[in-house]
Amino acid sequence: MQRLLPRLRPHGCLAMKPSSYTTLYFGLRQLNDDVGLGSDHVSGTLAEVVEKIRKQIGVELGYHTIPKSREHLLKHQPKPESLPPRSMKDSFTTVILPLNSDEGIRERYINHLGRVRLGRVMEELDMFAVWLCHRHIKIPDLPKDIPLPYTFVTLAVDKVEFWNAERLRANADIHLSGHISWTGRSSMEITIYVRQTAHGEIWTITKALFLMVARNATNTGPAPVNSLKPANELEQCYWEEANKRQKQRRAIQAESVFNAPPFEYEQTLMYDLFRRTTPINTMELNRRVLPPKCRWMADSYQTTMINPFPENRNAQNTIFGGYIMRNAVEISFITASIYVGGRPMLKCISDISFMNAVKVNSFLKMTAYVVYTAQNYMQIMTVAHIYDSHSGEELTTNAFYLTYKADKIVDEVLPRSYQETLWYIHGRRKFLAALDLLPVYPMKKAQEEQIKSNEVINVNK
């Protein structure tokens, strides 16, 4: 939907006057108008939004090993037919991360190079997505003194593109703007933009697509959401694009190498990988050789164990999804940095899936693998597990796919086992999707001859 931002310059540069509070508000209004929804709503700082969420769902301050029961709210869950339709403008808002004015907050976002921690930004995006869910839900007959009988859970992050991450400054405010862009019966797609004012301009840094699910007050079942009714032609265009993405998500999931065999051309690629790493002068079983400027995938990973604490919990005493995302981004960056021997830039997070909740008393194990490389790019797959210290059992909770760009050509990573080869193919798909590239399909001889024949016919015409 980048093409629907007509007044934004390429990669999101928008001219703006020198900053002041009045000018900032004017700039946000102008920027929001560029999105096309005609809303200049500002929700304040993220800290203020967190407090609003806490009050709306009725969560008290302080940690309790057994969360306060919310069963009494189940009777207030609305029927789908009682929920009025909502437009995208109804949920649209902007939240400010005040890095310029608050030095204490600034230190939470800064790395040793004085740049902004992208993992921290991802953490805040998850909270902002929850706030947009709150703004979308409207229950006309809910009594004023009753908390919102909903729980919002992150199901997936479809794609997060980083266009100007190298321009992010730790001493300038960051603006998060977004809205609900699609709804199902209990699910919502959320479109979020991250922008920052720098040298009299507003730069679009990130576009993120979140898929959230509405659950009931006790998180034991689904809850209905207000339907989305586009208010104008532009909103209709946004909705149609989002609806296409829903169909694409289902198709991609069905065609995953973990659910279906690789495509024919990918099987050819797999055989080529086998030939490249198998010596031709021996029939010895499992004998593999590593070509020059290559590394084995089995040697290209980093792992860590994390002990989450109550400060990172949500109302159900499970670990906040944003916290998991931040740690996944950070270990993936460590893995990419060690692999390339430098400081690569994060270009895209092509997919994040949430499969199981992480309880506050769990140990979290994260492992980041280099699963595909191309020129100066690396595709990282980071997998999160719950680790049970008593039984030693592990349960997969999340999978992340991140694309990094280095300032030099990187060694090619190669699989040695069949499972690693599937990871390689899967990582290749994620890499192509991240950079909007089309795969190269090997053609059979008959297909090549048919193409040549068609070319001759066209020339004769």
Side-chain angles (χ1 to χ4, degrees):
M1 293 191 295
Q2 179 74 358
R3 61 186 178 83
L4 298 179
L5 306 180
R7 282 179 286 177
L8 284 175
R9 299 178 189 174
H11 302 295
C13 177
L14 175 68
M16 183 176 169
K17 298 177 181 179
S19 63
S20 66
Y21 182 79
T22 302
T23 306
L24 172 62
Y25 182 81
F26 171 79
L28 287 175
R29 182 171 183 174
Q30 181 184 356
L31 182 148
N32 293 346
D33 286 343
D34 282 327
V35 176
L37 300 184
S39 173
D40 57 4
H41 187 275
V42 179
S43 293
T45 66
L46 187 66
E48 293 169 340
V49 163
V50 171
E51 182 63 18
K52 291 175 183 177
I53 293 175
R54 186 185 68 80
K55 290 182 177 179
Q56 286 194 16
I57 62 177
V59 175
E60 298 177 355
L61 290 174
Y63 170 66
H64 303 281
T65 55
I66 301 178
K68 184 179 177 180
S69 175
R70 303 183 78 222
E71 288 189 10
H72 64 287
L73 297 177
L74 293 176
K75 63 183 179 182
H76 294 287
Q77 180 171 312
K79 300 293 183 182
E81 57 271 17
S82 68
L83 296 175
R86 304 280 281 166
S87 70
M88 297 181 190
K89 180 180 177 180
D90 292 329
S91 60
F92 187 92
T93 191
T94 296
V95 166
I96 302 170
L97 305 180
L99 306 189
N100 181 43
S101 58
D102 194 320
E103 189 170 348
I105 291 179
R106 189 186 310 155
E107 287 202 2
R108 296 181 65 247
Y109 292 86
I110 198 169
N111 64 18
H112 74 287
L113 296 174
R115 297 176 180 171
V116 173
R117 295 168 57 185
L118 295 182
R120 183 70 75 183
V121 173
M122 287 299 303
E123 185 173 20
E124 311 303 27
L125 291 184
D126 196 50
M127 180 62 73
F128 183 50
V130 172
W131 175 237
L132 293 174
C133 293
H134 277 253
R135 286 184 51 77
H136 177 77
I137 296 296
K138 182 178 182 180
I139 309 176
D141 55 355
L142 183 68
K144 291 184 178 181
D145 58 338
I146 299 298
L148 188 68
Y150 278 77
T151 301
F152 298 107
V153 178
T154 307
L155 179 63
V157 180
D158 192 29
K159 191 173 185 180
V160 184
E161 299 174 89
F162 294 91
W163 296 310
N164 296 289
E166 69 280 0
R167 296 181 180 273
L168 265 176
R169 299 166 53 205
N171 61 349
D173 292 347
I174 295 175
H175 316 137
L176 313 181
S177 300
H179 60 90
I180 305 296
S181 49
W182 178 90
T183 59
R185 285 175 292 184
S186 61
S187 56
M188 294 168 281
E189 185 197 78
I190 299 168
T191 300
I192 301 175
Y193 287 92
V194 178
R195 299 181 173 96
Q196 187 179 60
T197 307
H199 305 296
E201 296 177 329
I202 292 181
W203 288 93
T204 298
I205 306 298
T206 303
K207 174 190 173 184
L209 297 170
F210 278 69
L211 193 63
M212 309 291 289
V213 175
R215 307 278 291 173
N216 61 21
T218 56
N219 196 20
T220 55
V225 301
N226 300 74
S227 62
L228 188 64
K229 184 177 181 180
N232 52 47
E233 185 177 344
L234 184 58
E235 287 197 12
Q236 180 66 29
C237 186
Y238 276 114
W239 187 89
E240 290 175 0
E241 291 288 336
N243 199 43
K244 290 179 183 177
R245 286 193 292 269
Q246 295 301 315
K247 297 177 181 179
Q248 291 171 352
R249 289 186 186 106
R250 289 190 288 267
I252 291 173
Q253 183 65 25
E255 294 174 349
S256 168
V257 295
F258 303 121
N259 297 322
F263 300 126
E264 184 177 352
Y265 76 92
E266 291 174 331
Q267 294 180 27
T268 301
L269 178 61
M270 294 168 70
Y271 181 73
D272 181 63
L273 289 170
F274 171 77
R275 293 282 297 180
R276 288 178 59 199
T277 57
T278 302
I280 60 175
N281 57 352
T282 179
M283 293 292 289
E284 184 178 347
L285 184 64
N286 296 327
R287 175 81 181 275
R288 308 297 292 275
V289 293
L290 190 64
K293 300 292 184 180
C294 295
R295 303 186 203 178
W296 292 123
M297 186 184 296
D299 300 326
S300 306
Y301 73 94
Q302 301 295 326
T303 188
T304 187
M305 294 289 292
I306 301 171
N307 182 17
F309 289 98
E311 66 174 311
N312 305 118
R313 75 192 187 283
N314 55 26
Q316 294 77 44
N317 275 5
T318 57
I319 298 303
F320 179 51
Y323 173 83
I324 300 173
M325 283 194 285
R326 171 167 63 85
N327 282 280
V329 170
E330 291 175 353
I331 190 175
S332 73
F333 174 74
I334 292 171
T335 303
S337 297
I338 292 175
Y339 188 88
V340 74
R343 296 279 173 170
M345 291 296 298
L346 178 60
K347 301 303 293 182
C348 182
I349 303 176
S350 55
D351 189 17
I352 301 175
S353 56
F354 290 77
M355 292 165 269
N356 293 285
V358 179
K359 295 182 179 179
V360 75
N361 60 349
S362 302
F363 290 145
L364 188 61
K365 179 181 178 181
M366 283 195 170
T367 307
Y369 304 87
V370 181
V371 293
Y372 184 76
T373 56
Q375 297 296 321
N376 57 333
Y377 286 92
M378 294 167 286
Q379 188 67 37
I380 308 294
M381 179 179 73
T382 300
V383 183
H385 303 271
I386 298 174
Y387 183 83
D388 190 319
S389 59
H390 297 290
S391 65
E393 295 180 351
E394 294 185 15
L395 176 66
T396 302
T397 61
N398 304 86
F400 307 80
Y401 300 92
L402 307 96
T403 306
Y404 283 86
K405 182 180 181 180
D407 57 3
K408 60 182 178 181
I409 302 299
V410 302
D411 290 344
E412 184 180 3
V413 70
L414 294 176
R416 186 155 42 185
S417 67
Y418 183 75
Q419 182 179 5
E420 289 177 2
T421 305
L422 290 180
W423 283 12
Y424 180 95
I425 295 298
H426 194 59
R428 183 175 182 270
R429 290 183 185 180
K430 297 296 183 183
F431 169 75
L432 294 175
L435 299 187
D436 294 321
L437 300 175
L438 294 176
V440 177
Y441 298 92
M443 291 186 294
K444 296 180 180 179
K445 187 175 182 180
Q447 292 174 313
E448 293 178 348
E449 291 177 353
Q450 180 64 44
I451 291 175
K452 291 179 180 178
S453 175
N454 291 339
E455 289 176 348
V456 171
I457 292 173
N458 291 333
V459 169
N460 292 335
K461 285 182 179 180

